[in-house]
Amino acid sequence: MSATTQTDAPARADRFDRRTALPIFTKSLSDGWRSVVGWSIGFAAALSLYLPIFPSMSGNSQMQDLIDSLPPELTRTINYQQIDTGAGYTQSTFFGLMGFLLISIAAISWGAAALGGDEESGQLELTLAHGVTRVQVAFERFAALTLKILALALVAFLLILFWNGPAGLDLDIGNLVVTCLIFGGLALVCGSAALLCGALGGRRIWGIGGGAAVAVIGYVFNAIGNQSVDLEWLHNLSPYYAAYGNAPLANGADVWTVVLFYAAALVLGGLAAVTLRQRDVGV
Amino acid sequence: MTMNSSTGIGIEAVDLVKTFGSTRALDGVSFTVPTGSVFGVIGPNGAGKTTIMRALLDLIRLSSGRASLLGTDSRNAGPELRRRIGYLPGELILEGRITGRRLLRHYANISGPVQAGRIDELADRLGLDLDRTVRTLSKGNKQKLGIVQAFMHQPDLLVLDEPTSGLDPLMQQEFLSLVREARDAGQTVFLSSHVISEIQQVADEVAILRDGRIITVSGVEALRDTAIRHLRMSASGIDVADLHDRLFPLAEVGELEVLPTDTGAEATAILTGALSPFVRAIASLTLTDLVVEEPDLEESVLRLYSDANAQPARQGLGR
């Protein structure tokens, strides 16, 4: 008797509701696009404040005098040594500082919410009770995280491209593309660390902590490593330095630097999937 | 292998043990649910009902023991098995920003195939407006959403944790008729509650769970026969001794206490078994109050258990 539901189901299955491919991924995107728009507005605001004033900074010896008069430790810390070129200025103000801050916060909050936050709220339990695997959930959410971060990197690229001429930045487009990819890759590493730590602890705050640790320690190690030759070894521990240490916007970067970030993020995403697979969820 | 439901076993749980740190949440739970039947678990909060359900769905991993659902081992079971299961968590948390319809569409994407029109049919029956944002729904209406997502793909097995929580009595009845229809269609239903009344109407068998152990599994009728009811009554124009003499001889009355009141006397007691002898005994009294509580099956079973087995009282039994 019980078999009837099983065997008869396909026979009267003529009218089933249509299903979406990659359901978790598409759900993450449909939930997340507003957030992407919000952060994009933040990018537009930051870039439209900084970039248009470059001409008045670069040709202005008083500005350089001001920078020179600051303690060298400070200018090294905030990477303001080279703001007399368009590439140095864009790097120092946006990629190295404001943009880094904004995209890191976005990536970490998304990454922390994706598994840790979802479990903490109690919704992950019901999702996993459906016809999905944990690895699938982790990877589809990692993919959505990647796409959202790349969308922000694309927004940054387009905005900077827009200001390149009017603000006289004189940026090399190829270098800008590579720098934007690294910009997104660094954020994705922070976001993936947040995803992993959220999967480990089952709490949003674990993800925030883990992701912020990667971002902040990377920034701090870079800043300290900039101070003296004795401390330069700290650069080796800094994802931030790996991204921007060789000034990719001015000098370009080899493809392996870009690959490194995305491969590292993929490893972190994979670890998140494996971690989630092992755990008791929702306890 | 997973398609072999001809074995007739919906759920087979063998010696389930789950420890969280030093807490033993499940302490050797075994039971079997035939396909096409309704199996209820009752027990106080913290008895382990939710833990059993989470373990069946592989949300948490057993410390030892094994469970198979529809002939498939639940541990690391693939999505194919869970497509054939409908689950309603005890603590239902739903995304709040979207409409009920969109939320159900999402769950339909990751559950077994849902027949066109099925979601609206269920929503109609439960009186649920699918076009409202989930956040704005009352607890009862959110619970209805949870019920719809569990039933919509007509799963072979339904695992429902406190399914009627938050529903008004009318909707509880509608829910129970959904459960009956599911059983009649050959679906297996495993549901929990901390009150017997909502389970006794539909369950074929009931397990009483306490401190991570199943104390008894029996048919509902058998349980009801052993039920004890708490009684409180007061009558005017009668003194303490008279009232005592009327009630005390009755075999069904136990733990009798009679106290004087301004106008007469009041009594508290427990009633076991048939009610009619008690009703006859008080028929001629001028009652000012009479409260016979719903049978507390859990309590009666616990008493029976501790009497019959003369087992050293487990924690909580002697309370």
Side-chain angles (χ1 to χ4, degrees):
Chain A
M1 177 182 91
S2 60
T4 50
T5 48
Q6 197 55 41
T7 49
D8 284 359
R12 51 180 165 78
D14 44 341
R15 285 171 57 246
F16 283 130
D17 285 344
R18 206 162 47 86
R19 296 159 74 95
T20 312
L22 297 176
I24 306 292
F25 175 72
T26 48
K27 182 78 169 72
S28 294
L29 290 184
S30 70
D31 291 346
W33 68 268
R34 283 184 197 82
S35 178
V36 173
V37 170
W39 286 106
S40 299
I41 292 169
F43 276 25
L47 286 166
S48 304
L49 283 174
Y50 278 120
L51 298 188
I53 58 170
F54 172 66
S56 59
M57 304 280 256
S58 64
N60 186 340
S61 58
Q62 282 178 326
M63 191 64 198
Q64 194 58 50
D65 290 345
L66 174 67
I67 303 275
D68 290 344
S69 71
L70 293 172
E73 292 80 7
L74 178 62
T75 51
R76 281 196 216 110
T77 300
I78 60 174
N79 304 304
Y80 263 39
Q81 302 102 309
Q82 301 170 330
I83 65 163
D84 53 340
T85 67
Y89 179 78
T90 309
Q91 170 65 41
S92 301
T93 55
F94 183 74
F95 287 113
L97 200 63
M98 199 50 138
F100 171 69
L101 185 68
L102 291 177
I103 201 171
S104 298
I105 294 173
I108 291 167
S109 64
W110 289 335
L115 293 176
D118 199 37
E119 179 174 346
E120 185 173 10
S121 77
Q123 296 176 56
L124 184 64
E125 175 183 346
L126 188 53
T127 300
L128 293 181
H130 283 84
V132 292
T133 65
R134 297 187 188 193
V135 170
Q136 173 193 354
V137 169
F139 266 114
E140 288 194 28
R141 289 193 175 157
F142 172 75
L145 174 69
T146 306
L147 194 66
K148 287 191 285 187
I149 290 171
L150 285 176
L152 285 187
L154 178 67
V155 167
F157 171 77
L158 293 173
L159 286 165
I160 295 168
L161 194 65
F162 172 80
W163 285 112
N164 194 18
L169 296 170
D170 197 22
L171 298 176
D172 179 273
I173 305 302
N175 288 354
L176 180 60
V177 169
V178 169
T179 304
C180 285
L181 283 173
I182 292 176
F183 175 64
L186 177 60
L188 184 58
V189 166
C190 298
S192 305
L195 187 81
L196 170 60
C197 293
L200 269 171
R203 297 280 180 275
R204 200 175 123 83
I205 193 69
W206 280 58
I208 301 276
V214 173
V216 172
I217 290 173
Y219 187 84
V220 168
F221 279 10
N222 174 72
I224 299 175
N226 286 349
Q227 303 299 331
S228 80
V229 181
D230 291 341
L231 294 169
E232 259 177 17
W233 62 273
L234 283 172
H235 283 157
N236 298 327
L237 301 175
S238 167
Y240 181 95
Y241 180 83
Y244 300 129
N246 294 319
L249 196 52
N251 308 325
D254 65 51
V255 66
W256 293 111
T257 308
V258 178
V259 169
L260 174 75
F261 281 100
Y262 289 88
L266 195 61
V267 168
L268 290 169
L271 286 174
V274 171
T275 304
L276 185 65
R277 193 168 187 275
Q278 307 304 324
R279 278 199 33 242
D280 286 350
V281 169
V283 294
Chain B
M1 169 181 89
T2 54
M3 290 303 160
N4 182 18
S5 32
S6 60
T7 52
I9 305 283
I11 304 176
E12 185 182 27
V14 182
D15 212 15
L16 308 184
V17 174
K18 178 65 186 177
T19 53
F20 295 110
S22 59
T23 315
R24 216 168 165 81
L26 296 180
D27 191 9
V29 170
S30 301
F31 60 93
T32 303
V33 184
T35 48
S37 71
V38 180
F39 190 90
V41 182
I42 62 169
N45 296 325
K49 305 184 294 282
T50 299
T51 306
I52 292 178
M53 296 192 166
R54 286 182 169 164
L56 292 179
L57 282 146
D58 198 35
L59 294 167
I60 60 174
R61 272 62 190 267
L62 292 165
S63 308
S64 70
R66 63 171 186 86
S68 66
L69 310 180
L70 306 166
T72 305
D73 195 327
S74 69
R75 171 86 211 227
N76 285 332
E80 300 77 23
L81 175 63
R82 285 193 302 276
R83 280 195 194 102
R84 300 171 64 200
I85 301 176
Y87 174 54
L88 177 64
E91 207 168 303
L92 180 68
I93 312 285
L94 299 171
E95 184 188 345
R97 290 179 305 175
I98 59 178
T99 62
R101 189 179 301 283
R102 286 198 54 197
L103 184 71
L104 291 173
R105 177 108 316 284
H106 168 63
Y107 285 123
N109 276 328
I110 56 173
S111 72
V114 177
Q115 277 187 302
R118 171 79 175 155
I119 289 175
D120 286 300
E121 177 202 325
L122 286 169
D124 278 353
R125 285 185 64 174
L126 294 167
L128 172 64
D129 181 356
L130 290 177
D131 294 314
R132 282 182 59 185
T133 310
V134 174
R135 186 182 44 217
T136 65
L137 295 174
S138 66
K139 178 169 169 18
N141 280 319
K142 283 182 188 148
Q143 187 73 6
K144 291 176 193 172
L145 268 178
I147 291 170
V148 173
Q149 66 81 31
F151 279 81
M152 64 185 175
H153 54 298
Q154 289 158 303
D156 293 334
L157 174 63
L158 284 150
V159 178
L160 310 169
D161 194 356
E162 308 258 356
T164 57
S165 119
L167 296 185
D168 61 47
L170 203 63
M171 281 307 137
Q172 290 191 12
Q173 290 308 314
E174 192 59 42
F175 165 78
L176 293 175
S177 68
L178 280 176
V179 171
R180 283 189 205 100
E181 286 164 29
R183 172 179 54 193
D184 294 345
Q187 295 165 270
T188 309
V189 184
F190 180 66
L191 76 172
S192 75
S193 176
H194 61 278
V195 280
I196 184 73
S197 59
E198 60 184 40
I199 278 186
Q200 68 184 10
Q201 297 184 47
V202 286
D204 299 301
E205 278 195 304
V206 176
I208 313 266
L209 192 70
R210 176 108 200 183
D211 294 337
R213 278 177 174 277
I214 287 188
I215 288 170
T216 180
V217 179
S218 62
V220 172
E221 289 311 315
L223 269 187
R224 208 181 335 231
D225 288 346
T226 68
I228 59 171
R229 295 173 168 84
H230 286 267
L231 157 75
R232 192 176 73 244
M233 58 171 290
S234 53
S236 57
I238 187 167
D239 64 22
V240 170
D242 267 359
L243 186 57
H244 186 272
D245 289 346
R246 272 182 195 244
L247 297 178
F248 189 75
L250 299 174
E252 294 81 10
V253 172
E255 297 182 11
L256 180 63
E257 273 187 56
V258 187
L259 294 168
T261 61
D262 294 342
T263 58
E266 63 174 20
T268 59
I270 57 167
L271 283 172
T272 319
L275 281 175
S276 346
F278 166 72
V279 173
R280 275 195 296 274
I282 62 167
S284 60
L285 294 180
T286 312
L287 292 175
T288 52
D289 190 18
L290 173 63
V291 179
V292 181
E293 282 174 12
E294 191 151 11
D296 187 339
L297 294 200
E298 181 206 333
E299 182 183 353
S300 48
V301 167
L302 286 174
R303 288 184 185 224
L304 280 183
Y305 179 78
S306 53
D307 290 349
N309 294 290
Q311 177 142 338
R314 293 174 51 76
Q315 271 189 344
L317 265 186
R319 130 193 96 101

